[in-house]
Amino acid sequence: MREILGRRRRLLSRRKDKGSELLGAALTFATEWQWPVLPGVAPDPQGRARCACPDPECTVPGAHPFDPGLLAATTDERMVRWWWGNRPAAPVVLATGAAGKAPCAVSLPALAASHALTLLDRRGMRLGPVVASPTRWALLVKPYSMEQLGELLYAKDFVPGSLRFHGEGGYLALPPSETGQGGIRWERAPLPGSAKPWVPDVEAVVDAVVDALTRTGVSAPEL
């Protein structure tokens, strides 16, 4: 009995620590960096590979908004504290491009992203924060419009289908969230003590990533 009670206490302690960590991260994003955030739906407790939302075929289990919806994303401290006070295990979801304040992102499969970042480092390319899940990595970029992105992609002879663009109206789970696909972490973390992380222009990132994937033998499967 003592062993069972000890396990329960340790489990509750870990949950409490994780909840504090998520709340602290959400407050940093919202109040210090002015990135609008909201809680994600979270994985299904009965099966972490599934999502707690009603869609049985959800492609991003636990890593998307549901209730509240994406439009509720905010930088208000009181709202953030209320959300994570009631849902301490909820993933922290960024509303990409929201209000022209939040960063957008360019994501690609994890293995291809790892190779691409190595090549860009060799070339001296300056990158901003990079968010990593077990399956995909996302490079944060400055907010862009759909018109700007369309013109950028139209000018390319080829754009790998594995690239995804998280612009206005999109979302991205941020560290240290736990989702149905696993934990979200920083592959390239913001500099400690940053008032607001620096992020590059989308043109520079897309140009560099497409070049790295198509001209240097790095493959990016259509995932």
Side-chain angles (χ1 to χ4, degrees), residues 9-10 13 22 35 63 68-69 81 84 90 97 109 112 119 125 128 130 133 137 167 172 187 189 191 193 220:
R9 290 193 185 101
R10 288 193 294 272
S13 178
L22 286 164
W35 293 1
R81 288 188 181 278
W84 273 273
L119 291 168
M125 171 81 182
V130 178
S133 76
W137 292 7
L172 185 70
E187 174 61 27
L191 294 176

CSV table of all heavy atoms in Angstrom, one decimal, residues 9-10 13 22 35 63 68-69 81 84 90 97 109 112 119 125 128 130 133 137 167 172 187 189 191 193 220:
chain,number,residue,atom,x,y,z
A,9,ARG,N,1.8,9.8,-5.3
A,9,ARG,CA,2.4,11.1,-4.9
A,9,ARG,C,3.4,11.6,-6.0
A,9,ARG,O,3.4,12.7,-6.3
A,9,ARG,CB,3.0,11.0,-3.5
A,9,ARG,CG,2.0,10.8,-2.4
A,9,ARG,CD,2.7,11.1,-1.1
A,9,ARG,NE,1.7,10.8,0.0
A,9,ARG,CZ,1.8,9.6,0.7
A,9,ARG,NH1,2.7,8.7,0.5
A,9,ARG,NH2,0.9,9.5,1.7
A,10,ARG,N,4.3,10.6,-6.4
A,10,ARG,CA,5.3,11.0,-7.4
A,10,ARG,C,4.6,11.4,-8.7
A,10,ARG,O,5.0,12.4,-9.4
A,10,ARG,CB,6.2,9.9,-7.6
A,10,ARG,CG,7.2,9.6,-6.5
A,10,ARG,CD,8.3,8.7,-6.9
A,10,ARG,NE,7.9,7.4,-7.2
A,10,ARG,CZ,7.8,6.4,-6.3
A,10,ARG,NH1,8.0,6.6,-5.0
A,10,ARG,NH2,7.4,5.2,-6.7
A,13,SER,N,3.0,14.8,-8.3
A,13,SER,CA,4.1,15.8,-8.2
A,13,SER,C,4.6,16.1,-9.6
A,13,SER,O,4.8,17.3,-10.0
A,13,SER,CB,5.2,15.3,-7.3
A,13,SER,OG,6.3,16.3,-7.3
A,22,LEU,N,4.2,24.4,-18.1
A,22,LEU,CA,3.4,24.9,-19.2
A,22,LEU,C,2.9,26.3,-19.0
A,22,LEU,O,2.9,27.1,-19.9
A,22,LEU,CB,2.3,23.9,-19.4
A,22,LEU,CG,2.7,22.5,-20.1
A,22,LEU,CD1,1.6,21.5,-19.9
A,22,LEU,CD2,3.0,22.7,-21.5
A,35,TRP,N,3.1,37.0,-28.0
A,35,TRP,CA,2.7,36.0,-29.0
A,35,TRP,C,1.3,35.5,-28.5
A,35,TRP,O,1.2,34.9,-27.5
A,35,TRP,CB,3.6,34.8,-29.1
A,35,TRP,CG,5.0,35.1,-29.6
A,35,TRP,CD1,5.4,36.3,-30.1
A,35,TRP,CD2,6.0,34.2,-29.8
A,35,TRP,NE1,6.7,36.2,-30.6
A,35,TRP,CE2,7.1,34.9,-30.4
A,35,TRP,CE3,6.2,32.8,-29.5
A,35,TRP,CZ2,8.3,34.3,-30.7
A,35,TRP,CZ3,7.4,32.2,-29.8
A,35,TRP,CH2,8.4,32.9,-30.4
A,63,ALA,N,-2.5,18.5,-30.7
A,63,ALA,CA,-1.7,19.7,-31.0
A,63,ALA,C,-2.4,20.8,-31.7
A,63,ALA,O,-1.8,21.6,-32.4
A,63,ALA,CB,-0.5,19.2,-31.8
A,68,PRO,N,-11.2,26.5,-26.4
A,68,PRO,CA,-11.7,27.5,-27.3
A,68,PRO,C,-11.1,27.4,-28.7
A,68,PRO,O,-10.1,26.7,-28.9
A,68,PRO,CB,-11.3,28.9,-26.7
A,68,PRO,CG,-10.1,28.5,-26.0
A,68,PRO,CD,-10.3,27.1,-25.4
A,69,GLY,N,-11.7,28.0,-29.7
A,69,GLY,CA,-11.2,28.0,-31.0
A,69,GLY,C,-10.0,29.0,-31.2
A,69,GLY,O,-9.7,29.8,-30.3
A,81,ARG,N,-3.7,32.6,-17.4
A,81,ARG,CA,-3.7,32.0,-16.0
A,81,ARG,C,-5.0,31.2,-15.8
A,81,ARG,O,-4.9,30.1,-15.2
A,81,ARG,CB,-3.5,33.0,-14.9
A,81,ARG,CG,-2.1,33.6,-14.9
A,81,ARG,CD,-1.9,34.5,-13.7
A,81,ARG,NE,-0.6,35.1,-13.6
A,81,ARG,CZ,0.5,34.4,-13.1
A,81,ARG,NH1,0.4,33.2,-12.7
A,81,ARG,NH2,1.7,35.0,-13.1
A,84,TRP,N,-4.8,27.8,-18.0
A,84,TRP,CA,-3.9,26.7,-17.6
A,84,TRP,C,-4.2,26.4,-16.1
A,84,TRP,O,-3.8,25.4,-15.6
A,84,TRP,CB,-2.5,27.1,-17.9
A,84,TRP,CG,-2.1,26.6,-19.2
A,84,TRP,CD1,-1.7,25.3,-19.6
A,84,TRP,CD2,-2.2,27.3,-20.5
A,84,TRP,NE1,-1.5,25.2,-20.9
A,84,TRP,CE2,-1.8,26.4,-21.5
A,84,TRP,CE3,-2.7,28.6,-20.8
A,84,TRP,CZ2,-1.8,26.8,-22.8
A,84,TRP,CZ3,-2.6,29.0,-22.1
A,84,TRP,CH2,-2.2,28.1,-23.1
A,90,ALA,N,-2.7,21.1,-20.7
A,90,ALA,CA,-3.0,21.5,-22.1
A,90,ALA,C,-1.8,22.0,-22.8
A,90,ALA,O,-1.0,22.7,-22.3
A,90,ALA,CB,-4.1,22.6,-22.1
A,97,GLY,N,1.1,34.2,-36.9
A,97,GLY,CA,0.7,35.3,-37.7
A,97,GLY,C,-0.4,36.2,-37.1
A,97,GLY,O,-0.8,37.2,-37.8
A,109,PRO,N,9.7,17.7,-42.7
A,109,PRO,CA,9.9,16.4,-41.9
A,109,PRO,C,11.2,16.5,-41.1
A,109,PRO,O,12.2,17.1,-41.6
A,109,PRO,CB,10.0,15.4,-43.0
A,109,PRO,CG,9.2,15.9,-44.1
A,109,PRO,CD,9.4,17.4,-44.1
A,112,ALA,N,14.8,15.4,-42.8
A,112,ALA,CA,15.2,16.4,-43.8
A,112,ALA,C,15.6,17.7,-43.1
A,112,ALA,O,16.5,18.4,-43.5
A,112,ALA,CB,14.1,16.6,-44.8
A,119,LEU,N,23.4,21.9,-43.1
A,119,LEU,CA,23.9,22.6,-44.3
A,119,LEU,C,23.9,24.1,-44.2
A,119,LEU,O,24.8,24.8,-44.6
A,119,LEU,CB,23.2,22.1,-45.5
A,119,LEU,CG,23.4,20.7,-45.9
A,119,LEU,CD1,22.4,20.3,-47.0
A,119,LEU,CD2,24.8,20.5,-46.5
A,125,MET,N,24.2,30.7,-42.4
A,125,MET,CA,22.8,31.2,-42.4
A,125,MET,C,22.3,31.4,-41.0
A,125,MET,O,22.4,30.6,-40.1
A,125,MET,CB,21.9,30.2,-43.1
A,125,MET,CG,20.4,30.5,-43.0
A,125,MET,SD,19.9,31.8,-44.2
A,125,MET,CE,18.1,32.0,-43.8
A,128,GLY,N,16.3,31.7,-36.7
A,128,GLY,CA,15.7,32.0,-35.4
A,128,GLY,C,15.4,30.7,-34.7
A,128,GLY,O,16.0,29.7,-35.0
A,130,VAL,N,13.8,27.2,-33.6
A,130,VAL,CA,13.3,26.1,-34.3
A,130,VAL,C,12.6,25.2,-33.4
A,130,VAL,O,13.2,24.7,-32.4
A,130,VAL,CB,14.5,25.3,-35.0
A,130,VAL,CG1,13.9,24.1,-35.8
A,130,VAL,CG2,15.2,26.2,-36.0
A,133,SER,N,9.1,18.6,-33.2
A,133,SER,CA,8.3,17.5,-32.7
A,133,SER,C,9.0,16.2,-33.2
A,133,SER,O,9.9,16.3,-34.0
A,133,SER,CB,6.9,17.5,-33.3
A,133,SER,OG,6.8,17.1,-34.6
A,137,TRP,N,10.0,19.5,-37.9
A,137,TRP,CA,10.6,20.7,-37.3
A,137,TRP,C,10.0,21.9,-38.0
A,137,TRP,O,9.8,21.9,-39.2
A,137,TRP,CB,12.1,20.6,-37.4
A,137,TRP,CG,12.8,19.6,-36.7
A,137,TRP,CD1,12.2,18.6,-36.0
A,137,TRP,CD2,14.2,19.4,-36.5
A,137,TRP,NE1,13.1,17.8,-35.4
A,137,TRP,CE2,14.4,18.2,-35.7
A,137,TRP,CE3,15.3,20.1,-37.0
A,137,TRP,CZ2,15.6,17.8,-35.4
A,137,TRP,CZ3,16.6,19.6,-36.7
A,137,TRP,CH2,16.7,18.5,-35.9
A,167,GLY,N,0.9,30.2,-41.6
A,167,GLY,CA,0.7,31.6,-41.6
A,167,GLY,C,-0.5,32.1,-40.8
A,167,GLY,O,-0.9,31.4,-39.9
A,172,LEU,N,0.6,26.4,-34.2
A,172,LEU,CA,1.8,25.5,-34.0
A,172,LEU,C,1.9,25.3,-32.5
A,172,LEU,O,1.9,26.2,-31.7
A,172,LEU,CB,3.0,26.3,-34.5
A,172,LEU,CG,4.3,25.5,-34.5
A,172,LEU,CD1,4.3,24.4,-35.5
A,172,LEU,CD2,5.5,26.5,-34.7
A,187,GLU,N,14.6,22.8,-30.8
A,187,GLU,CA,15.8,22.3,-31.5
A,187,GLU,C,16.8,23.5,-31.5
A,187,GLU,O,18.0,23.3,-31.3
A,187,GLU,CB,15.5,21.9,-32.9
A,187,GLU,CG,16.8,21.5,-33.7
A,187,GLU,CD,17.5,20.4,-33.1
A,187,GLU,OE1,17.0,19.5,-32.4
A,187,GLU,OE2,18.8,20.3,-33.4
A,189,ALA,N,16.7,26.9,-29.4
A,189,ALA,CA,16.0,27.7,-28.4
A,189,ALA,C,16.2,29.2,-28.5
A,189,ALA,O,17.3,29.6,-29.0
A,189,ALA,CB,16.3,27.2,-27.0
A,191,LEU,N,17.4,32.8,-27.4
A,191,LEU,CA,18.5,33.2,-26.5
A,191,LEU,C,17.9,33.5,-25.1
A,191,LEU,O,16.9,34.1,-25.0
A,191,LEU,CB,19.2,34.4,-27.0
A,191,LEU,CG,20.0,34.2,-28.3
A,191,LEU,CD1,20.7,35.5,-28.7
A,191,LEU,CD2,21.1,33.1,-28.1
A,193,GLY,N,16.8,35.1,-21.8
A,193,GLY,CA,16.6,36.5,-21.4
A,193,GLY,C,16.2,37.4,-22.6
A,193,GLY,O,16.1,38.6,-22.4
A,220,ALA,N,13.5,15.0,-49.1
A,220,ALA,CA,12.5,15.4,-48.1
A,220,ALA,C,11.2,14.6,-48.6
A,220,ALA,O,10.5,15.0,-49.5
A,220,ALA,CB,12.2,16.9,-48.1
